[in-house]
Amino acid sequence: MYGLMMQQPLLVASLLTHAERHHAGQEIVSRRVEGDIHRYRYLDLAQRARKLANALAGLGIAQGERVGTLAWNGYRHMELYFAVSGSGAVLHTLNPRLHVDQIAYIIDHADDRVIFFDLTFLPLIESVASRIKSPRVFVAMTDRANMPAMHDLPIMLLCYEDLIDGHNDDFAWPLLDENHASSLCYTSGTTGNPKGVLYSHRSTLLHTYAAALPDSLNCSARDVILPVVPMFHVNAWGLPYIACMVGAKLVFPGPALDGKSLYELIEAEQVTLSAGVPTVWQGLLRHAAERGTTFTSMRRTIVGGAPCPTAMTAEFQERYQVDVLHAWGMTELSPVGTVCSFKGHHLSLPAQQRYAIQARQGRAVFGIDMRIVGPDGKELPWDSQATGDLQVRGPWVTSGYFGGEDASPLCDGWFPTGDVAKIDPDGFMQITDRSKDVIKSGGEWISSIDIENVACLHPGVASAVCIAARHPKWDERPLLLIVKKPESVLGTDELLEFFDGRVAKWWKPDAVVFVEALPLGATGKVLKNQLRDQFRDYYLTA
Ligand code: AMP
């Protein structure tokens, strides 16, 4: 029929093709695991991604099969982003900060065929390899000179650079259905086992368009973008795709996320825009303050994953003239949901009022529909007063979890975020609490249920509850409340030592409070909200 637009599927590979054609000379700079700085251009990225796509085909990876990565932010990870998804397989980014048992569970659950890893994670791979059910192929993301000794590992181990070198760059990206899966990321921000969120090419492309907009992350060809947020965390908030779409220079920090390393990279590469969780920025601000220095190029930083404290916003803006963009999102939302960009009438407000607005998580980007509902499921007004469960819907919001064994999480077609929020008449959402029973420490999830289960294994424990308590550095840390068995003489040190080896080190609660009894509700469940209210400031006042 005349007059209709072309039916062109929205595909991840098209971002790379666009970047190669229009921004071939634009740089991608990476601090490598080996410590040196690597630089090349989008042209090289595209060529090597095509070689890698041929290599994946050579390994027998079929469309729809999962390819795992355990890697920092760097150019090889970027090549995997495009080669895996572009060729029709599914890029599965694994979070190396999880406990090895959880990583093994996730690899088995996702049925990853091949796992690419940075050398940093070799010991982790060795532990994981003996725990996963079926043997898989592992690829060390390095060159021949840096390959670890093969005989130490009871696994099939390949070398990334050899793998690429064995293939030419003649590869035609397949014309996939845009609803085909492109990538997979597990979240432990829910109860029970980690759950996989499966993104499609279409959802990724639509998210990329929306997240790049001026009132979203505001990215352009003139930007030099430093994603400190890891590429194993919800696609580094979409920045690898956005950078290709707009042709921005990319700067990858590798494993060096301390304040000094980040500062040096920001200055050396003249970064204009960075993105990360508040904990990372604390380190950077401390370093800058100690050095008494300034940022000569950085003008904006995106702060998300946890609430951005007003003191941080003020320090960035007043001392360094770096604008803070406070954003909220979730793994289930690809992740961008809201961004706190001012409206015109905010600009003339006094500074304190502007800071109060910037403490909010912001307004929904086009594509995300949001609402707050009361306990009866009825929508609540946007009046800055009413607080309710935050629900969202949109083309880059998940409708269920990978594997589908759980019932649909949706309520009337809306995704319940587990966050509790209020919304002002201008549409700025502010998170006031969380209804989901998890702890977010330095931007990473800790399962309160797993902590409670471990505590209950101790013979001196009658019952255990773990809650999130506010923490000045990590935003939240786990606090353990314990009712001892009558005859038990259990003390804090003994109980905390009991966690060693049973959970990831940073999951271990910082303190234990021994109580006589726990408050129970009508159905016999522990009233965690009551405990949260009582002990929320434990680490701030202790
Ligand atoms: P994740 O799936 O790991 O990205 O975590 C998503 C969750 O992190 C959200 O549901 C919130 O609970 C929390 N979160 C993300 N961004 C923010 C923010 N700016 N302020 C407060 N909480 C946030």
Side-chain angles (χ1 to χ4, degrees):
M1 191 191 295
Y2 293 115
L4 276 181
M5 297 297 120
M6 292 181 190
Q7 285 291 323
Q8 281 239 342
L10 301 170
L11 298 177
V12 166
S14 65
L15 292 168
L16 186 61
T17 313
H18 173 85
E20 184 183 19
R21 194 167 175 82
H22 297 275
H23 306 282
Q26 183 64 283
E27 265 192 313
I28 298 175
V29 180
S30 310
R31 194 195 291 275
R32 286 202 273 210
V33 172
E34 293 85 352
D36 59 343
I37 297 282
H38 170 275
R39 50 182 80 235
Y40 71 4
R41 301 155 301 163
Y42 275 106
L43 177 71
D44 306 298
L45 166 71
Q47 278 174 353
R48 280 168 56 93
R50 288 195 296 269
K51 284 184 173 195
L52 181 55
N54 277 322
L56 291 169
L59 289 172
I61 305 297
Q63 289 196 358
E65 287 188 325
R66 269 76 59 200
V67 172
T69 62
L70 260 174
W72 300 111
N73 293 6
Y75 65 103
R76 292 187 181 115
H77 208 173
M78 183 81 174
E79 290 161 7
L80 282 155
Y81 258 58
F82 289 93
V84 175
S85 306
S87 60
V90 179
L91 177 86
H92 175 201
T93 50
L94 287 147
N95 184 344
R97 297 198 178 119
L98 294 177
H99 188 267
V100 60
D101 288 337
Q102 275 186 322
I103 296 177
Y105 165 85
I106 292 172
I107 291 173
D108 280 334
H109 190 265
D111 197 13
D112 293 332
R113 291 282 317 282
V114 185
I115 293 161
F116 288 77
F117 66 95
D118 268 334
L119 285 182
T120 322
F121 303 120
L122 185 64
L124 188 55
I125 289 293
E126 286 174 305
S127 311
V128 163
S130 61
R131 285 170 163 86
I132 52 181
K133 291 202 184 97
S134 48
R136 311 187 192 258
V137 177
F138 291 87
V139 183
M141 292 161 69
T142 189
D143 55 16
R144 175 136 296 271
N146 289 291
M147 273 302 276
M150 300 287 265
H151 53 82
D152 285 336
L153 292 166
I155 56 174
M156 178 168 171
L157 182 64
L158 304 177
C159 167
Y160 187 91
E161 291 301 329
D162 282 0
L163 194 64
I164 287 200
D165 280 350
H167 293 273
N168 65 37
D169 73 345
D170 191 7
F171 184 90
W173 301 111
L175 201 62
L176 305 163
D177 181 323
E178 64 179 14
N179 291 308
H180 190 82
S182 61
S183 56
L184 174 66
C185 186
Y186 278 68
T187 173
S188 23
T190 46
T191 45
N193 279 323
K195 294 184 177 59
V197 179
L198 191 64
Y199 311 102
S200 69
H201 285 259
R202 174 185 156 83
S203 70
T204 302
L205 269 273
L206 292 175
H207 176 266
T208 307
Y209 275 117
L213 284 170
D215 272 1
S216 300
L217 307 186
N218 188 8
C219 302
S220 81
R222 296 161 302 286
D223 273 314
V224 181
I225 304 178
L226 172 78
V228 181
V229 50
M231 290 165 84
F232 56 76
H233 256 181
V234 218
N235 319 310
W237 297 348
L239 290 168
Y241 305 116
I242 294 172
C244 280
M245 181 178 272
V246 305
K249 174 177 167 181
L250 263 174
V251 180
F252 288 128
L257 306 181
D258 60 286
K260 179 172 183 290
S261 305
L262 289 178
Y263 181 80
E264 285 168 4
L265 199 58
I266 287 168
E267 286 303 303
E269 298 304 329
Q270 291 289 284
V271 167
T272 60
L273 172 66
S274 57
V277 295
T279 318
V280 158
W281 299 139
Q282 279 174 10
L284 178 69
L285 287 172
R286 201 176 319 116
H287 175 80
E290 279 163 15
R291 285 264 317 261
T293 187
T294 55
F295 294 99
T296 57
S297 56
M298 194 160 78
R299 289 294 158 257
R300 281 164 293 138
T301 186
I302 305 156
V303 185
C308 179
T310 295
M312 180 173 282
T313 307
E315 188 171 352
F316 263 125
Q317 293 181 179
E318 284 171 21
R319 193 159 174 177
Y320 300 108
Q321 290 73 55
V322 174
D323 281 336
V324 166
L325 266 181
H326 189 193
W328 168 88
M330 299 181 73
T331 308
E332 287 90 337
L333 271 75
S334 308
V336 178
T338 64
V339 182
C340 195
S341 300
F342 287 126
K343 290 188 173 175
H345 66 90
H346 292 135
L347 296 177
S348 54
L349 290 176
Q352 286 315 315
Q353 287 182 36
R354 271 186 284 125
Y355 287 139
I357 289 166
Q358 286 184 288
R360 297 171 196 165
Q361 277 68 15
R363 46 197 171 96
V365 301
F366 172 76
I368 293 291
D369 228 356
M370 72 177 174
R371 66 176 190 179
I372 44 173
V373 297
D376 55 0
K378 291 223 173 71
E379 187 170 357
L380 296 169
W382 293 15
D383 61 2
S384 310
Q385 302 295 325
T387 58
D389 289 318
L390 178 66
Q391 300 184 334
V392 289
R393 63 181 181 192
W396 56 86
V397 179
T398 196
S399 61
Y401 292 101
F402 180 65
E405 62 260 46
D406 296 295
S408 165
L410 304 190
C411 311
D412 295 336
W414 292 79
F415 177 78
T417 63
D419 290 316
V420 175
K422 55 186 179 181
I423 305 177
D424 75 15
D426 264 327
F428 284 68
M429 181 273 288
Q430 183 161 23
I431 292 179
T432 56
D433 201 354
R434 200 184 283 146
S435 58
K436 54 195 169 192
D437 191 11
V438 280
I439 300 153
K440 203 165 198 195
S441 177
E444 301 264 2
W445 293 114
I446 295 175
S447 158
S448 55
I449 291 173
D450 284 5
I451 303 275
E452 289 160 8
N453 286 341
V454 171
C456 287
L457 291 175
H458 192 286
V461 171
S463 44
V465 165
C466 184
I467 57 163
R470 290 197 188 116
H471 191 277
K473 175 163 183 200
W474 301 108
D475 187 41
E476 290 177 4
R477 288 295 301 154
L479 176 68
L480 193 55
L481 302 156
I482 295 288
V483 180
K484 282 194 273 197
K485 289 214 175 123
E487 69 288 0
S488 167
V489 289
L490 178 65
T492 298
D493 291 348
E494 183 189 336
L495 185 55
L496 291 182
E497 273 166 30
F498 188 69
F499 280 84
D500 292 339
R502 290 186 161 92
V503 295
K505 273 199 200 100
W506 60 276
W507 276 37
K508 201 162 128 173
D510 296 19
V512 181
V513 179
F514 291 99
V515 291
E516 290 300 315
L518 295 167
L520 299 180
T523 56
K525 276 192 190 165
V526 176
L527 295 173
K528 278 204 168 183
N529 283 353
Q530 196 171 314
L531 290 170
R532 273 205 295 260
D533 287 346
Q534 192 180 345
F535 291 99
R536 180 167 280 137
D537 292 339
Y538 185 87
Y539 293 127
L540 301 181
T541 50

